């Protein structure tokens, strides 16, 4: 398929993507309006203030879930529409599904009976999870959204972030969630101090592949799929992320080169995590493709 990376990705999106990702692509790269993205997101919303209907493709079924709701917030944040009465409804939903310490579980047991990826555990009393809580709390803080739930959730995130590297095992996705929290939380001095410590953990535990041509020499976290490595661009998706300071210019350049090289012949980027159902992979690839293009463009790489 000839053309620029953007042109090739566009063909892939029109061929495979849901309406939501088609409109997200149009908004971010073709001058499309934010209203169209909001309209496409609306069918995933539920009356309880959360989002469901397999918005996050690895968790199916109509019921609201923290993962779906976090995904919806990321979409709204990216188009500048994360606020107002919608945010209040979302926070009420998050309050209702939060654990005893105010955090979010990765998956609420209400999804039981619907198809769910085998690597997503469904239990009756799900534990608090930084992976689910950190990105949501950071995003809400960055958008200056205030709600009573945020106070307890923020305290949980600080405690969870500060426990990383203190003898408790960690893994790349948890570090990603910690960065998403630290990039948005309002106490910038504390965030910078925590990020500096996290960066040392990442380098000491070799949680970022700094030499893409030697990825197999890096440790793979337990439970990850073969080849499910993390690179500098996975932590620092934008140049002003605190995680950008963890890597030299050369390390970041190699990471972005690797990301650009991952575009497949069909124009899309591949799913890096464990694949379990054709529909989940088909719906995930346009999401991954949009994020790859946004990351490359944010770092000044030409996409076309």
């Amino acid at each position: 398929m000839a053309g620029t990376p953007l042109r090739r990705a566009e063909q892939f999106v029109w061929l495979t993507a849901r309406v939501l990702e088609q409109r997200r692509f149009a908004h971010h790269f073709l001058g499309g309006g934010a209203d169209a993205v909001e309209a496409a997101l609306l069918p995933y919303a539920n009356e309880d203030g959360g989002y469901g209907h397999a918005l996050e493709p690895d968790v199916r079924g109509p019921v609201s879930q923290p993962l779906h709701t976090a995904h919806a917030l990321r979409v709204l944040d990216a188009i500048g529409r994360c606020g107002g009465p919608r945010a209040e409804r979302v926070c009420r939903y998050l309050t209702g599904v939060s654990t005893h310490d105010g955090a979010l579980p990765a998956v609420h047991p209400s999804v039981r009976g619907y198809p769910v990826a085998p690597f997503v555990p469904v239990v009756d009393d799900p534990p608090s999870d930084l992976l689910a809580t950190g990105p949501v709390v950071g995003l809400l803080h960055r958008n200056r959204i205030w709600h009573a739930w945020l106070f307890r959730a923020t305290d949980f995130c600080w405690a969870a972030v500060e426990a990383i590297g203190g003898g408790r095992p960690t893994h790349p996705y948890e570090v990603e969630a910690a960065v998403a929290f630290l990039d948005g939380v309002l106490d910038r001095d504390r965030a910078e101090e925590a990020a500096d410590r996290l960066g040392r953990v990442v380098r000491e535990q070799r949680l970022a592949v700094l030499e893409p041509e030697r990825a197999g020499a890096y440790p793979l976290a337990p439970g990850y799929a073969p080849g499910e490595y993390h690179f500098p661009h996975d932590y620092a998706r934008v140049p002003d992320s605190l995680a950008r300071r963890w890597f030299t210019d050369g390390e970041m350049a190699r990471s972005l080169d690797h990301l650009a090289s991952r575009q497949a012949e069909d124009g899309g980027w591949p799913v890096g995590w464990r694949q379990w159902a054709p529909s989940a992979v088909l719906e995930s690839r346009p999401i991954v493709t949009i994020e790859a293009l946004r990351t490359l463009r944010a770092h000044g790489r030409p996409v076309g």
Side-chain angles (χ1 to χ4, degrees):
M1 186 183 295
T4 65
L6 184 62
R7 176 60 179 163
R8 293 167 58 205
E10 181 182 359
Q11 295 300 307
F12 172 77
V13 165
W14 297 138
L15 180 65
T16 66
R18 303 180 295 192
V19 172
L20 175 59
E21 282 70 52
Q22 291 176 16
R23 292 186 175 180
R24 288 188 64 208
F25 185 91
H27 172 75
H28 290 300
F29 303 108
L30 304 176
D35 289 348
V37 179
E38 277 199 278
L41 183 62
L42 185 60
Y44 295 93
N46 286 323
E47 292 184 2
D48 60 7
Y51 289 77
H53 307 280
L55 179 57
E56 185 68 39
D58 283 328
V59 179
R60 316 302 291 184
V63 295
S64 295
Q65 286 291 310
L67 284 176
H68 298 319
T69 306
H71 189 120
L73 287 173
R74 288 193 298 273
V75 170
L76 293 168
D77 177 60
I79 63 173
R81 298 288 180 88
C82 188
R86 179 196 298 105
E88 176 68 26
R89 291 194 299 272
V90 166
C91 286
R92 285 202 301 269
Y93 163 74
L94 296 175
T95 301
V97 297
S98 63
T99 61
H100 68 280
D101 51 8
L104 297 174
V107 176
H108 191 269
S110 59
V111 79
R112 184 176 280 110
Y114 298 103
V116 177
F119 49 81
V120 180
V122 181
V123 297
D124 289 331
D125 188 19
S128 304
D129 192 337
L130 180 62
L131 272 72
T133 314
V136 170
V137 172
L139 185 152
L140 293 175
H141 277 300
R142 186 170 65 251
N143 284 274
R144 301 298 193 267
I145 293 168
W146 303 104
H147 190 274
W149 169 75
L150 267 179
F151 291 99
R152 296 178 64 214
T154 301
D155 288 343
F156 166 82
C157 289
W158 277 124
V161 168
E162 290 168 357
I164 294 176
R168 182 177 62 79
T170 188
H171 57 95
Y173 287 121
E174 183 174 56
V175 175
E176 273 193 62
V179 170
F181 168 70
L182 295 174
D183 279 346
V185 73
L186 299 183
D187 190 340
R188 301 315 300 154
D189 290 340
R190 188 177 180 183
E192 290 187 11
E193 181 180 350
D196 288 345
R197 185 180 56 79
L198 271 184
R200 291 192 293 273
V201 170
V202 166
R203 297 192 77 95
E204 290 167 2
Q205 298 188 16
R206 305 180 72 216
L207 299 181
V209 175
L210 304 179
E211 305 158 287
E213 70 280 2
R214 297 185 60 249
Y218 286 76
L220 195 64
Y224 281 34
E228 194 173 357
Y229 295 104
H230 279 61
F231 300 83
H233 67 263
D234 291 310
Y235 301 107
R237 296 187 179 274
V238 293
D240 60 355
S241 170
L242 292 173
R244 176 61 182 87
R245 308 177 187 182
W246 302 348
F247 310 108
T248 68
D249 290 348
E251 289 166 347
M252 200 69 204
R254 286 192 292 273
S255 180
L256 294 169
D257 287 343
H258 175 72
L259 177 60
S261 74
R262 294 282 288 163
Q263 188 174 23
E265 289 187 6
D266 62 8
W269 267 259
V271 169
W273 56 90
R274 194 176 300 278
Q275 301 178 16
W276 65 283
S279 59
V281 175
L282 181 66
E283 293 175 1
S284 294
R285 285 193 65 204
I287 299 172
V288 173
T289 297
I290 291 169
E291 295 310 317
L293 289 168
R294 292 184 69 209
T295 298
L296 289 168
R297 186 174 65 179
H299 285 279
R301 291 298 182 96
V303 296

